[in-house]
Short mmCIF file of all heavy atoms in Angstrom, two decimals:
data_model
loop_
_atom_site.label_atom_id
_atom_site.label_comp_id
_atom_site.label_asym_id
_atom_site.label_seq_id
_atom_site.Cartn_x
_atom_site.Cartn_y
_atom_site.Cartn_z
N MET H 1 71.65 137.34 175.27
CA MET H 1 71.03 136.28 174.39
C MET H 1 71.76 135.04 174.62
O MET H 1 72.93 134.91 174.67
CB MET H 1 71.23 136.72 172.94
CG MET H 1 70.59 135.77 171.96
SD MET H 1 70.82 136.24 170.23
CE MET H 1 69.36 137.21 170.00
N SER H 2 71.05 133.86 174.82
CA SER H 2 71.66 132.63 175.09
C SER H 2 72.27 132.09 173.79
O SER H 2 71.91 132.46 172.70
CB SER H 2 70.59 131.64 175.60
OG SER H 2 69.69 131.32 174.61
N SER H 3 73.17 131.13 173.97
CA SER H 3 73.87 130.56 172.83
C SER H 3 72.88 129.84 171.92
O SER H 3 73.09 129.90 170.69
CB SER H 3 75.01 129.77 173.25
OG SER H 3 74.47 128.61 174.01
N SER H 4 71.89 129.17 172.47
CA SER H 4 71.01 128.38 171.60
C SER H 4 70.12 129.43 170.81
O SER H 4 69.73 129.13 169.68
CB SER H 4 70.15 127.44 172.42
OG SER H 4 69.37 128.19 173.36
N ALA H 5 69.75 130.54 171.46
CA ALA H 5 68.87 131.52 170.72
C ALA H 5 69.71 132.10 169.61
O ALA H 5 69.09 132.39 168.49
CB ALA H 5 68.36 132.60 171.67
N ALA H 6 70.95 132.44 169.81
CA ALA H 6 71.81 133.06 168.79
C ALA H 6 72.01 132.05 167.60
O ALA H 6 71.96 132.49 166.44
CB ALA H 6 73.17 133.44 169.34
N ALA H 7 72.22 130.82 167.95
CA ALA H 7 72.44 129.83 166.84
C ALA H 7 71.20 129.60 166.04
O ALA H 7 71.27 129.48 164.82
CB ALA H 7 72.89 128.51 167.45
N SER H 8 70.04 129.60 166.66
CA SER H 8 68.82 129.40 165.89
C SER H 8 68.49 130.56 164.95
O SER H 8 67.88 130.38 163.98
CB SER H 8 67.70 129.05 166.84
OG SER H 8 67.32 130.28 167.60
N ALA H 9 68.92 131.72 165.30
CA ALA H 9 68.67 132.89 164.57
C ALA H 9 69.37 132.76 163.15
O ALA H 9 68.80 133.21 162.17
CB ALA H 9 69.09 134.18 165.23
N TYR H 10 70.50 132.13 163.09
CA TYR H 10 71.25 132.08 161.87
C TYR H 10 70.60 131.26 160.84
O TYR H 10 70.49 131.55 159.64
CB TYR H 10 72.67 131.59 162.06
CG TYR H 10 73.53 132.51 162.95
CD1 TYR H 10 74.03 132.16 164.10
CD2 TYR H 10 73.75 133.79 162.37
CE1 TYR H 10 74.79 132.96 164.87
CE2 TYR H 10 74.58 134.67 163.14
CZ TYR H 10 75.03 134.25 164.38
OH TYR H 10 75.78 135.14 165.11
N TRP H 11 70.08 130.06 161.18
CA TRP H 11 69.41 129.18 160.19
C TRP H 11 68.03 129.79 159.82
O TRP H 11 67.65 129.63 158.70
CB TRP H 11 69.31 127.72 160.60
CG TRP H 11 68.72 127.42 161.91
CD1 TRP H 11 69.33 127.24 163.11
CD2 TRP H 11 67.33 127.26 162.16
NE1 TRP H 11 68.41 126.95 164.13
CE2 TRP H 11 67.23 126.93 163.58
CE3 TRP H 11 66.21 127.21 161.40
CZ2 TRP H 11 65.95 126.64 164.17
CZ3 TRP H 11 64.96 127.02 162.03
CH2 TRP H 11 64.85 126.71 163.37
N ARG H 12 67.34 130.43 160.81
CA ARG H 12 66.12 131.10 160.39
C ARG H 12 66.33 132.25 159.46
O ARG H 12 65.56 132.47 158.53
CB ARG H 12 65.37 131.54 161.65
CG ARG H 12 64.79 130.45 162.43
CD ARG H 12 63.98 130.81 163.47
NE ARG H 12 63.54 129.65 164.28
CZ ARG H 12 62.51 129.61 165.11
NH1 ARG H 12 61.86 130.78 165.37
NH2 ARG H 12 62.16 128.55 165.74
N VAL H 13 67.31 133.07 159.73
CA VAL H 13 67.65 134.17 158.86
C VAL H 13 67.98 133.71 157.47
O VAL H 13 67.63 134.36 156.47
CB VAL H 13 68.73 135.06 159.45
CG1 VAL H 13 69.25 136.10 158.52
CG2 VAL H 13 68.31 135.79 160.71
N ALA H 14 68.63 132.60 157.39
CA ALA H 14 69.02 132.04 156.07
C ALA H 14 67.86 131.45 155.35
O ALA H 14 68.02 130.99 154.24
CB ALA H 14 70.12 130.99 156.26
N GLY H 15 66.67 131.39 155.96
CA GLY H 15 65.45 130.84 155.32
C GLY H 15 65.44 129.29 155.32
O GLY H 15 64.82 128.78 154.46
N MET H 16 66.11 128.64 156.25
CA MET H 16 66.21 127.20 156.34
C MET H 16 65.30 126.74 157.49
O MET H 16 65.04 127.41 158.50
CB MET H 16 67.64 126.77 156.65
CG MET H 16 68.61 127.11 155.60
SD MET H 16 70.33 126.70 156.06
CE MET H 16 70.29 124.96 155.78
N THR H 17 64.77 125.52 157.30
CA THR H 17 64.14 124.92 158.45
C THR H 17 65.20 124.25 159.32
O THR H 17 66.36 123.99 158.84
CB THR H 17 63.16 123.81 157.92
OG1 THR H 17 63.90 122.81 157.36
CG2 THR H 17 62.11 124.36 157.03
N TYR H 18 64.87 123.88 160.56
CA TYR H 18 65.80 123.20 161.37
C TYR H 18 66.19 121.89 160.78
O TYR H 18 67.43 121.52 160.99
CB TYR H 18 65.20 123.07 162.84
CG TYR H 18 66.21 122.44 163.77
CD1 TYR H 18 67.32 123.27 164.26
CD2 TYR H 18 66.24 121.16 164.08
CE1 TYR H 18 68.28 122.72 165.07
CE2 TYR H 18 67.22 120.60 164.90
CZ TYR H 18 68.21 121.39 165.39
OH TYR H 18 69.17 120.85 166.17
N LEU H 19 65.32 121.20 160.22
CA LEU H 19 65.65 119.87 159.62
C LEU H 19 66.73 120.04 158.50
O LEU H 19 67.67 119.31 158.43
CB LEU H 19 64.41 119.27 159.06
CG LEU H 19 64.62 117.82 158.57
CD1 LEU H 19 65.16 116.87 159.62
CD2 LEU H 19 63.27 117.21 158.12
N LYS H 20 66.59 121.03 157.62
CA LYS H 20 67.54 121.29 156.63
C LYS H 20 68.86 121.63 157.17
O LYS H 20 69.94 121.23 156.74
CB LYS H 20 67.14 122.35 155.67
CG LYS H 20 66.03 121.87 154.68
CD LYS H 20 65.65 122.98 153.70
CE LYS H 20 64.53 122.51 152.80
NZ LYS H 20 64.20 123.61 151.86
N TYR H 21 68.85 122.46 158.23
CA TYR H 21 70.06 122.97 158.96
C TYR H 21 70.77 121.71 159.55
O TYR H 21 71.97 121.63 159.37
CB TYR H 21 69.75 123.97 160.07
CG TYR H 21 70.81 124.29 160.93
CD1 TYR H 21 71.90 125.20 160.50
CD2 TYR H 21 70.84 123.83 162.14
CE1 TYR H 21 72.96 125.45 161.36
CE2 TYR H 21 71.81 124.17 163.08
CZ TYR H 21 72.90 125.01 162.66
OH TYR H 21 73.90 125.26 163.53
N SER H 22 70.08 120.88 160.23
CA SER H 22 70.73 119.78 160.90
C SER H 22 71.25 118.76 159.96
O SER H 22 72.27 118.20 160.08
CB SER H 22 69.80 119.14 161.93
OG SER H 22 68.65 118.59 161.23
N ASN H 23 70.52 118.64 158.79
CA ASN H 23 70.95 117.66 157.71
C ASN H 23 72.33 118.24 157.07
O ASN H 23 73.25 117.51 156.80
CB ASN H 23 69.99 117.49 156.67
CG ASN H 23 68.89 116.47 157.07
OD1 ASN H 23 69.14 115.63 157.96
ND2 ASN H 23 67.77 116.60 156.50
N LEU H 24 72.39 119.51 156.90
CA LEU H 24 73.56 120.10 156.31
C LEU H 24 74.71 119.95 157.25
O LEU H 24 75.84 119.58 156.86
CB LEU H 24 73.33 121.59 156.03
CG LEU H 24 74.46 122.45 155.53
CD1 LEU H 24 74.85 122.00 154.11
CD2 LEU H 24 74.14 123.96 155.54
N CYS H 25 74.48 120.15 158.57
CA CYS H 25 75.60 120.01 159.57
C CYS H 25 76.06 118.57 159.58
O CYS H 25 77.22 118.22 159.62
CB CYS H 25 75.04 120.39 160.93
SG CYS H 25 74.80 122.18 161.07
N ALA H 26 75.13 117.60 159.55
CA ALA H 26 75.45 116.15 159.56
C ALA H 26 76.28 115.77 158.31
O ALA H 26 77.30 115.07 158.39
CB ALA H 26 74.19 115.34 159.64
N ASP H 27 75.88 116.39 157.21
CA ASP H 27 76.68 116.08 155.94
C ASP H 27 78.09 116.62 156.02
O ASP H 27 79.03 115.94 155.61
CB ASP H 27 75.98 116.70 154.72
CG ASP H 27 74.71 116.04 154.30
OD1 ASP H 27 74.49 114.86 154.76
OD2 ASP H 27 73.91 116.68 153.58
N MET H 28 78.25 117.79 156.64
CA MET H 28 79.62 118.36 156.82
C MET H 28 80.42 117.56 157.77
O MET H 28 81.64 117.40 157.51
CB MET H 28 79.52 119.80 157.29
CG MET H 28 78.95 120.76 156.25
SD MET H 28 78.91 122.44 156.91
CE MET H 28 78.44 123.29 155.47
N VAL H 29 79.80 117.09 158.86
CA VAL H 29 80.56 116.19 159.78
C VAL H 29 80.99 114.88 159.13
O VAL H 29 82.14 114.53 159.26
CB VAL H 29 79.71 115.97 161.08
CG1 VAL H 29 80.31 114.89 161.90
CG2 VAL H 29 79.54 117.16 161.84
N ARG H 30 80.04 114.23 158.40
CA ARG H 30 80.41 113.04 157.70
C ARG H 30 81.50 113.26 156.73
O ARG H 30 82.46 112.45 156.50
CB ARG H 30 79.15 112.42 157.03
CG ARG H 30 78.24 111.72 158.02
CD ARG H 30 77.19 110.98 157.25
NE ARG H 30 76.22 111.76 156.59
CZ ARG H 30 75.11 112.17 157.07
NH1 ARG H 30 74.78 111.90 158.34
NH2 ARG H 30 74.31 112.95 156.33
N ALA H 31 81.52 114.36 156.03
CA ALA H 31 82.55 114.66 155.00
C ALA H 31 83.93 114.84 155.59
O ALA H 31 84.95 114.62 155.07
CB ALA H 31 82.16 115.84 154.11
N ALA H 32 83.90 115.30 156.90
CA ALA H 32 85.18 115.56 157.56
C ALA H 32 85.80 114.33 158.23
O ALA H 32 86.93 114.31 158.69
CB ALA H 32 84.95 116.63 158.64
N LEU H 33 84.98 113.28 158.28
CA LEU H 33 85.48 112.06 158.99
C LEU H 33 86.60 111.37 158.12
O LEU H 33 86.67 111.51 157.00
CB LEU H 33 84.36 111.08 159.16
CG LEU H 33 83.31 111.46 160.17
CD1 LEU H 33 82.08 110.38 160.16
CD2 LEU H 33 83.86 111.45 161.60
N LYS H 34 87.45 110.58 158.88
CA LYS H 34 88.51 109.89 158.20
C LYS H 34 88.05 108.36 158.22
O LYS H 34 87.21 108.02 159.02
CB LYS H 34 89.83 109.98 158.97
CG LYS H 34 90.35 111.40 158.91
CD LYS H 34 91.68 111.60 159.63
CE LYS H 34 92.17 113.01 159.53
NZ LYS H 34 93.41 113.15 160.24
N GLU H 35 88.68 107.58 157.34
CA GLU H 35 88.34 106.16 157.35
C GLU H 35 88.84 105.56 158.69
O GLU H 35 89.81 105.98 159.21
CB GLU H 35 89.07 105.49 156.18
CG GLU H 35 88.44 105.90 154.82
CD GLU H 35 87.03 105.57 154.61
OE1 GLU H 35 86.52 104.64 155.29
OE2 GLU H 35 86.31 106.30 153.85
N PRO H 36 88.27 104.54 159.20
CA PRO H 36 87.07 103.80 158.82
C PRO H 36 85.73 104.36 159.32
O PRO H 36 84.69 103.83 158.91
CB PRO H 36 87.40 102.42 159.43
CG PRO H 36 88.06 102.78 160.69
CD PRO H 36 88.89 103.86 160.37
N ALA H 37 85.80 105.37 160.07
CA ALA H 37 84.60 106.10 160.59
C ALA H 37 83.76 106.56 159.46
O ALA H 37 82.51 106.61 159.53
CB ALA H 37 84.97 107.19 161.55
N LYS H 38 84.41 107.06 158.38
CA LYS H 38 83.56 107.56 157.29
C LYS H 38 82.74 106.50 156.59
O LYS H 38 81.62 106.73 156.20
CB LYS H 38 84.52 108.22 156.26
CG LYS H 38 83.90 109.04 155.18
CD LYS H 38 84.96 109.77 154.36
CE LYS H 38 84.33 110.89 153.54
NZ LYS H 38 85.32 111.77 152.86
N ALA H 39 83.27 105.32 156.40
CA ALA H 39 82.67 104.24 155.79
C ALA H 39 81.42 103.73 156.66
O ALA H 39 80.34 103.46 156.15
CB ALA H 39 83.55 103.05 155.51
N LYS H 40 81.63 103.73 157.96
CA LYS H 40 80.54 103.39 158.88
C LYS H 40 79.35 104.38 158.77
O LYS H 40 78.23 104.00 158.87
CB LYS H 40 81.06 103.26 160.30
CG LYS H 40 81.89 102.02 160.43
CD LYS H 40 82.38 101.99 161.92
CE LYS H 40 83.29 100.84 162.21
NZ LYS H 40 83.80 100.78 163.58
N ALA H 41 79.78 105.68 158.74
CA ALA H 41 78.73 106.75 158.72
C ALA H 41 78.00 106.67 157.38
O ALA H 41 76.73 106.86 157.30
CB ALA H 41 79.35 108.05 158.91
N LYS H 42 78.68 106.38 156.28
CA LYS H 42 78.08 106.29 154.94
C LYS H 42 77.05 105.15 154.91
O LYS H 42 75.99 105.28 154.35
CB LYS H 42 79.13 106.10 153.90
CG LYS H 42 78.65 106.01 152.47
CD LYS H 42 78.17 107.40 152.03
CE LYS H 42 77.87 107.34 150.56
NZ LYS H 42 77.14 108.53 150.15
N ALA H 43 77.37 104.02 155.58
CA ALA H 43 76.52 102.88 155.60
C ALA H 43 75.18 103.15 156.37
O ALA H 43 74.17 102.63 156.07
CB ALA H 43 77.21 101.67 156.18
N ARG H 44 75.34 104.02 157.41
CA ARG H 44 74.16 104.35 158.21
C ARG H 44 73.20 105.36 157.58
O ARG H 44 72.02 105.44 157.98
CB ARG H 44 74.57 104.93 159.59
CG ARG H 44 75.06 103.97 160.53
CD ARG H 44 75.23 104.49 161.93
NE ARG H 44 76.01 105.75 161.99
CZ ARG H 44 77.30 105.84 162.24
NH1 ARG H 44 77.93 104.75 162.58
NH2 ARG H 44 77.92 107.00 162.26
N GLU H 45 73.60 106.05 156.53
CA GLU H 45 72.72 107.03 155.93
C GLU H 45 71.83 106.42 154.86
O GLU H 45 70.96 107.15 154.25
CB GLU H 45 73.53 108.19 155.42
CG GLU H 45 74.32 107.98 154.13
CD GLU H 45 75.04 109.22 153.67
OE1 GLU H 45 75.65 109.83 154.49
OE2 GLU H 45 75.07 109.38 152.48
N ILE H 46 71.89 105.16 154.57
CA ILE H 46 71.01 104.54 153.56
C ILE H 46 69.61 104.43 154.19
O ILE H 46 69.43 103.90 155.27
CB ILE H 46 71.51 103.11 153.20
CG1 ILE H 46 72.82 103.26 152.52
CG2 ILE H 46 70.47 102.42 152.35
CD1 ILE H 46 73.52 102.00 152.27
N ILE H 47 68.57 104.97 153.43
CA ILE H 47 67.25 105.00 154.05
C ILE H 47 66.31 104.51 152.95
O ILE H 47 66.38 104.89 151.77
CB ILE H 47 66.80 106.49 154.31
CG1 ILE H 47 67.75 106.98 155.49
CG2 ILE H 47 65.39 106.51 154.79
CD1 ILE H 47 67.58 108.41 155.82
N TYR H 48 65.34 103.65 153.36
CA TYR H 48 64.34 103.16 152.52
C TYR H 48 62.99 103.51 153.20
O TYR H 48 62.93 103.49 154.43
CB TYR H 48 64.33 101.60 152.37
CG TYR H 48 65.60 101.16 151.71
CD1 TYR H 48 66.66 100.63 152.48
CD2 TYR H 48 65.76 101.06 150.35
CE1 TYR H 48 67.82 100.18 151.92
CE2 TYR H 48 66.91 100.59 149.77
CZ TYR H 48 67.93 100.15 150.55
OH TYR H 48 69.06 99.69 149.94
N PHE H 49 61.90 103.80 152.43
CA PHE H 49 60.66 103.98 152.95
C PHE H 49 59.63 103.42 152.10
O PHE H 49 59.84 103.31 150.87
CB PHE H 49 60.34 105.35 153.40
CG PHE H 49 60.17 106.40 152.36
CD1 PHE H 49 59.04 106.64 151.73
CD2 PHE H 49 61.35 107.12 151.91
CE1 PHE H 49 58.98 107.61 150.70
CE2 PHE H 49 61.29 108.04 150.89
CZ PHE H 49 60.07 108.23 150.31
N ARG H 50 58.52 102.91 152.62
CA ARG H 50 57.47 102.36 151.88
C ARG H 50 56.29 103.31 151.73
O ARG H 50 55.93 103.89 152.73
CB ARG H 50 57.01 101.04 152.50
CG ARG H 50 55.98 100.35 151.59
CD ARG H 50 55.57 99.01 152.30
NE ARG H 50 56.53 98.58 153.28
CZ ARG H 50 56.32 97.39 154.01
NH1 ARG H 50 55.43 96.64 153.64
NH2 ARG H 50 57.14 97.10 154.94
N GLN H 51 55.67 103.45 150.58
CA GLN H 51 54.57 104.37 150.42
C GLN H 51 53.46 103.67 149.60
O GLN H 51 53.81 102.94 148.57
CB GLN H 51 55.19 105.58 149.66
CG GLN H 51 54.31 106.33 148.74
CD GLN H 51 55.07 107.41 148.06
OE1 GLN H 51 56.20 107.64 148.22
NE2 GLN H 51 54.41 108.08 147.11
N ALA H 52 52.33 103.92 149.96
CA ALA H 52 51.17 103.33 149.27
C ALA H 52 50.31 104.47 148.81
O ALA H 52 49.89 105.33 149.56
CB ALA H 52 50.39 102.38 150.10
N LEU H 53 50.00 104.43 147.51
CA LEU H 53 49.05 105.43 146.97
C LEU H 53 47.63 104.94 147.21
O LEU H 53 47.30 103.77 147.19
CB LEU H 53 49.25 105.64 145.48
CG LEU H 53 50.72 106.05 145.09
CD1 LEU H 53 50.81 106.03 143.53
CD2 LEU H 53 50.94 107.42 145.61
N TRP H 54 46.74 105.92 147.65
CA TRP H 54 45.35 105.49 147.92
C TRP H 54 44.44 106.05 146.85
O TRP H 54 44.58 107.14 146.38
CB TRP H 54 45.01 106.15 149.29
CG TRP H 54 45.68 105.47 150.42
CD1 TRP H 54 47.04 105.55 150.75
CD2 TRP H 54 45.15 104.60 151.39
NE1 TRP H 54 47.32 104.82 151.76
CE2 TRP H 54 46.21 104.24 152.30
CE3 TRP H 54 43.88 104.15 151.56
CZ2 TRP H 54 45.97 103.36 153.31
CZ3 TRP H 54 43.70 103.33 152.70
CH2 TRP H 54 44.71 102.89 153.51
N LYS H 55 43.43 105.26 146.53
CA LYS H 55 42.37 105.59 145.58
C LYS H 55 41.06 105.10 146.10
O LYS H 55 40.91 103.89 146.40
CB LYS H 55 42.67 105.07 144.17
CG LYS H 55 41.77 105.43 143.15
CD LYS H 55 42.22 104.94 141.80
CE LYS H 55 41.20 105.33 140.71
NZ LYS H 55 41.58 104.81 139.41
N ASP H 56 40.12 105.96 146.13
CA ASP H 56 38.75 105.62 146.66
C ASP H 56 38.81 104.92 148.08
O ASP H 56 38.13 103.97 148.29
CB ASP H 56 37.99 104.74 145.72
CG ASP H 56 37.81 105.36 144.35
OD1 ASP H 56 37.66 106.61 144.32
OD2 ASP H 56 37.87 104.70 143.34
N GLY H 57 39.67 105.37 148.92
CA GLY H 57 39.79 104.83 150.30
C GLY H 57 40.41 103.50 150.37
O GLY H 57 40.45 102.85 151.46
N GLN H 58 41.07 102.98 149.35
CA GLN H 58 41.71 101.68 149.31
C GLN H 58 43.21 101.88 148.90
O GLN H 58 43.48 102.65 148.04
CB GLN H 58 41.10 100.70 148.35
CG GLN H 58 39.66 100.39 148.66
CD GLN H 58 39.49 99.65 149.91
OE1 GLN H 58 40.33 98.82 150.27
NE2 GLN H 58 38.46 100.04 150.71
N PRO H 59 44.15 101.22 149.64
CA PRO H 59 45.53 101.31 149.29
C PRO H 59 45.80 100.65 147.93
O PRO H 59 45.25 99.50 147.69
CB PRO H 59 46.27 100.69 150.38
CG PRO H 59 45.29 99.75 150.98
CD PRO H 59 43.92 100.36 150.78
N GLN H 60 46.54 101.23 147.03
CA GLN H 60 46.89 100.65 145.79
C GLN H 60 48.31 100.04 145.97
O GLN H 60 48.75 99.81 147.03
CB GLN H 60 46.98 101.69 144.71
CG GLN H 60 45.60 102.46 144.52
CD GLN H 60 44.46 101.50 144.19
OE1 GLN H 60 44.60 100.79 143.27
NE2 GLN H 60 43.38 101.62 144.86
N LYS H 61 48.99 99.80 144.88
CA LYS H 61 50.31 99.15 144.90
C LYS H 61 51.32 99.94 145.77
O LYS H 61 51.34 101.20 145.73
CB LYS H 61 50.86 99.03 143.55
CG LYS H 61 52.29 98.44 143.48
CD LYS H 61 52.84 98.39 142.08
CE LYS H 61 54.19 97.80 142.12
NZ LYS H 61 54.88 97.96 140.82
N GLN H 62 52.06 99.28 146.66
CA GLN H 62 53.04 99.87 147.52
C GLN H 62 54.35 99.99 146.78
O GLN H 62 54.70 99.23 145.96
CB GLN H 62 53.31 99.08 148.79
CG GLN H 62 52.18 99.07 149.72
CD GLN H 62 52.50 98.41 151.04
OE1 GLN H 62 53.59 97.83 151.19
NE2 GLN H 62 51.57 98.43 151.97
N VAL H 63 55.04 101.18 146.98
CA VAL H 63 56.29 101.44 146.34
C VAL H 63 57.37 101.71 147.42
O VAL H 63 57.14 102.40 148.38
CB VAL H 63 56.16 102.76 145.51
CG1 VAL H 63 57.51 103.12 144.92
CG2 VAL H 63 55.09 102.58 144.46
N ILE H 64 58.47 101.00 147.35
CA ILE H 64 59.59 101.11 148.29
C ILE H 64 60.50 102.08 147.59
O ILE H 64 60.98 101.95 146.47
CB ILE H 64 60.25 99.83 148.62
CG1 ILE H 64 59.21 98.87 149.27
CG2 ILE H 64 61.48 100.00 149.50
CD1 ILE H 64 59.77 97.45 149.44
N THR H 65 60.96 103.15 148.31
CA THR H 65 61.77 104.14 147.79
C THR H 65 63.12 104.16 148.50
O THR H 65 63.17 104.13 149.77
CB THR H 65 61.12 105.53 147.94
OG1 THR H 65 59.86 105.51 147.29
CG2 THR H 65 61.97 106.60 147.33
N ASP H 66 64.16 104.27 147.74
CA ASP H 66 65.50 104.32 148.24
C ASP H 66 65.97 105.78 148.15
O ASP H 66 66.07 106.31 147.05
CB ASP H 66 66.46 103.42 147.42
CG ASP H 66 67.94 103.61 147.82
OD1 ASP H 66 68.27 104.24 148.75
OD2 ASP H 66 68.75 102.95 146.99
N THR H 67 66.36 106.41 149.28
CA THR H 67 66.60 107.87 149.24
C THR H 67 68.14 108.16 148.81
O THR H 67 68.46 109.33 148.71
CB THR H 67 66.30 108.55 150.57
OG1 THR H 67 67.05 107.96 151.58
CG2 THR H 67 64.86 108.45 150.87
N THR H 68 68.93 107.14 148.69
CA THR H 68 70.32 107.35 148.33
C THR H 68 70.48 107.67 146.89
O THR H 68 71.56 108.09 146.50
CB THR H 68 71.15 106.08 148.71
OG1 THR H 68 70.70 104.95 147.95
CG2 THR H 68 71.17 105.83 150.18
N GLY H 69 69.44 107.37 146.04
CA GLY H 69 69.51 107.74 144.67
C GLY H 69 70.23 106.79 143.77
O GLY H 69 70.42 106.98 142.64
N GLY H 70 70.62 105.59 144.28
CA GLY H 70 71.41 104.64 143.52
C GLY H 70 70.61 104.01 142.37
O GLY H 70 71.08 103.75 141.32
N SER H 71 69.28 103.81 142.61
CA SER H 71 68.54 103.11 141.60
C SER H 71 67.40 104.04 141.08
O SER H 71 66.38 103.61 140.66
CB SER H 71 67.85 101.84 142.12
OG SER H 71 66.98 102.15 143.18
N GLY H 72 67.63 105.35 141.05
CA GLY H 72 66.62 106.27 140.57
C GLY H 72 65.54 106.44 141.57
O GLY H 72 64.51 107.13 141.31
N GLY H 73 65.70 105.93 142.81
CA GLY H 73 64.72 106.15 143.83
C GLY H 73 63.71 104.97 144.03
O GLY H 73 63.62 104.58 145.14
N LYS H 74 63.13 104.48 142.99
CA LYS H 74 62.09 103.47 143.15
C LYS H 74 62.75 102.11 143.15
O LYS H 74 63.57 101.82 142.24
CB LYS H 74 61.08 103.54 141.97
CG LYS H 74 60.39 104.90 141.87
CD LYS H 74 59.51 105.21 143.02
CE LYS H 74 58.84 106.52 142.81
NZ LYS H 74 58.08 106.99 143.81
N LEU H 75 62.39 101.27 144.05
CA LEU H 75 62.86 99.90 144.13
C LEU H 75 61.81 98.97 143.59
O LEU H 75 62.15 97.89 143.05
CB LEU H 75 63.32 99.53 145.54
CG LEU H 75 64.53 100.30 146.08
CD1 LEU H 75 64.82 99.78 147.44
CD2 LEU H 75 65.75 100.06 145.20
N SER H 76 60.57 99.14 143.87
CA SER H 76 59.51 98.28 143.33
C SER H 76 58.21 99.00 143.31
O SER H 76 58.01 100.02 143.74
CB SER H 76 59.31 97.13 144.38
OG SER H 76 58.86 97.49 145.59
#
């Protein structure tokens, strides 16, 4: 069994998707970092995305979401 096949079996057996597995690994690496690398990594994980709700084929008000949880998620 190749090393990549063996590694993929663990996250699949645990019932995780690869995305959840890779996010968990990234969180563990960031937690193990020392300053100043830790502060740089923390700044890079801030993510915003814009979403528009659609009604009758027309976009309604757009909402910008902050995934860091600082403002409850919704920015506007």
